[in-house]
Amino acid sequence: MPVEFLGIGATNDGTETRARSGPAFDKDFTLALARAHEDNGWDRVLTAYSSGSPDPAQAAAYIADHTERLQLLLAHRPNVSAPTFAAKTVATLDQISDGRLTLHVITGGNDHEQQREGDTLPKDRRYDRTREAIQILKRAWTEREPFDFHGEHYDIADFVLDVEPAQKPRPRISFGGSSAAAYKVGAEEADIYALWGEPLAGTAEQIATITRLAAAAGRPAPTFQVAFRPILGRTEEEAWEKAYATVARIRERTAGGTTQLTRRHKLTDPENAGSQRLLAVAEQGERHDRALWTVTAAATGGAGNSTALVGTPETVAAALLDYYDLGVRILSARGYDLLEDAREFGREVIPLVRAEVARRDAAAA
């Protein structure tokens, strides 16, 4: 079965290891990074969301207008706009991109970050709101007659979109989370379920849980995605030297807990279940399975996509195929030097994974 690769559509060159060199929205860097992905075998890039970051929808439109094949994953928080507004934003962007858009819906796992934009809803109720928002999005993209929606969080009357998405029946919806509430909403509503890079056993456990909940709702399981931070070397020794140098730079930037790196995420006691799981894995040991390394996650408080795969391109490709064997079909990767790592991963790792998947498909035919 096909495998897809998701990168990051960052708008500046800042990462956990280095402060950005220019503005938050650096047009030249945004375009260079997007083209590095498009030219090196990646399928799509994520334009991410945080309370003070550049608008990911406009960043996605800029990337779409300057690329030809690269697909886009647009991050969106339901608290920031009515789902009817989000529906037409996505439909318009899907037209601009000629059907290259997928929407990644973020419920929000950090109360402080949500409150920065006036959202005081408790976490479990945020998942209820997310469910309603996704249901409205689906109806808005597929129904051509006006409809009403009366829920706990949204009350809509006589709405119909004039702009239709380019994709039929609609763009796909991606979703993530590691709490019981997240599993249920994602299993019942999402087309793609995004997980962070855990050991194989934990990933298999989550996939089984979500698949079971989807079956109980009478629908197929979503497509599964897992995210990692690849650290590559020409030899294993070189890769591990690079890994320890990487985490040393992260620790320099997080010393005292007052740097820009920690503005959106605490280094200790994270509120969201996904980060809690990553830190729990880190406490169990630094190395897991073939190439998974948790020290980068521990150094950032389990912030988002933060576990690494360390090794030669062959080792990292084999590790990714281990997740493919679990049923993962979208592999997300983002290096610490965004531009150069996107090129290197695309040049050295993606072809190995694609070739092995094609070989297996041919053998099974």
Side-chain angles (χ1 to χ4, degrees):
M1 296 180 65
V3 62
E4 300 179 18
F5 287 89
L6 169 68
I8 186 69
T11 60
N12 61 72
D13 63 357
T15 71
E16 295 90 335
T17 62
R18 57 200 266 186
R20 70 185 188 225
S21 62
F25 185 62
D26 183 331
K27 289 174 62 178
D28 292 339
F29 181 83
T30 300
L31 185 53
L33 184 60
R35 286 178 172 162
H37 284 86
E38 183 170 59
D39 293 341
N40 287 280
W42 298 79
D43 295 283
R44 67 175 54 78
V45 293
L46 166 70
T47 54
Y49 191 97
S50 71
S51 58
S53 64
D55 178 12
Q58 295 188 62
Y62 178 70
I63 293 170
D65 195 43
H66 290 81
T67 57
E68 296 179 0
R69 303 175 307 280
L70 190 66
Q71 298 175 53
L72 300 156
L73 180 61
L74 170 64
H76 167 70
R77 286 185 189 163
N79 64 296
V80 297
S81 68
T84 48
F85 183 85
K88 59 186 172 185
T89 297
V90 171
T92 304
L93 276 172
D94 202 44
Q95 288 287 348
I96 290 172
S97 66
D98 294 322
R100 288 186 277 154
L101 196 71
T102 299
L103 185 68
H104 181 58
V105 179
I106 303 171
T107 299
N110 182 302
D111 287 345
H112 187 198
E113 170 67 4
Q114 297 297 119
Q115 289 164 8
R116 285 188 168 113
E117 295 185 288
D119 183 14
T120 59
L121 204 63
K123 182 179 176 181
D124 282 349
R125 294 192 64 206
R126 291 201 292 266
Y127 280 108
D128 294 333
R129 178 178 61 194
T130 295
R131 179 193 299 279
E132 290 188 12
I134 293 174
Q135 291 171 346
I136 293 168
L137 289 169
K138 290 177 179 177
R139 294 188 66 181
W141 292 332
T142 58
E143 296 187 20
R144 303 277 61 87
E145 296 297 327
F147 68 89
D148 299 342
F149 184 96
H150 304 296
E152 179 184 359
H153 300 278
Y154 300 106
D155 197 13
I156 294 167
D158 198 41
F159 180 77
V160 65
L161 272 180
D162 190 30
V163 56
E164 298 181 24
Q167 298 175 77
K168 302 301 178 188
R170 59 174 176 80
R172 289 189 295 174
I173 292 176
S174 170
F175 176 89
S178 296
S179 66
Y183 292 151
K184 185 169 176 58
V185 171
E188 295 178 358
E189 299 292 346
D191 304 300
I192 298 167
Y193 204 108
L195 300 169
W196 289 336
E198 295 188 14
L200 292 166
T203 302
E205 173 193 358
Q206 292 190 92
I207 289 174
T209 296
I210 295 161
T211 299
R212 184 173 62 252
L213 289 169
R219 67 190 303 258
T223 300
F224 289 102
Q225 169 187 309
V226 180
F228 304 97
R229 308 301 292 271
I231 301 176
L232 303 176
R234 290 169 295 180
T235 64
E236 296 295 323
E237 293 76 13
E238 181 181 292
W240 284 104
E241 287 177 8
K242 184 177 177 182
Y244 284 108
T246 296
V247 84
R249 291 194 297 272
I250 293 173
R251 286 170 174 158
E252 287 176 5
R253 293 204 65 214
T254 57
T258 59
T259 68
Q260 182 179 4
L261 172 61
T262 63
R263 184 177 297 167
R264 296 189 297 273
H265 189 93
K266 298 186 295 182
L267 293 177
T268 58
D269 302 319
E271 298 171 30
N272 60 307
S275 294
Q276 292 168 7
R277 287 178 65 102
L278 294 187
L279 292 182
V281 169
E283 289 177 359
Q284 296 166 15
E286 294 186 2
R287 300 191 189 187
H288 298 261
D289 303 322
R290 192 186 300 267
L292 189 70
W293 195 51
T294 64
V295 177
T296 45
T300 59
N305 175 12
S306 56
T307 48
L309 290 178
V310 181
T312 63
E314 292 77 12
T315 295
V316 171
L320 292 169
L321 286 161
D322 290 338
Y323 289 88
Y324 180 87
D325 289 339
L326 294 181
V328 175
R329 292 296 178 264
I330 302 175
L331 299 168
S332 175
R334 171 166 53 101
Y336 291 97
D337 182 335
L338 297 177
L339 190 57
E340 291 307 315
D341 287 351
R343 291 169 176 155
E344 182 183 33
F345 187 89
R347 184 177 64 248
E348 303 293 339
V349 178
I350 290 178
L352 296 177
V353 176
R354 290 200 195 279
E356 176 58 18
V357 169
R359 186 196 68 78
R360 294 181 186 183
D361 287 347

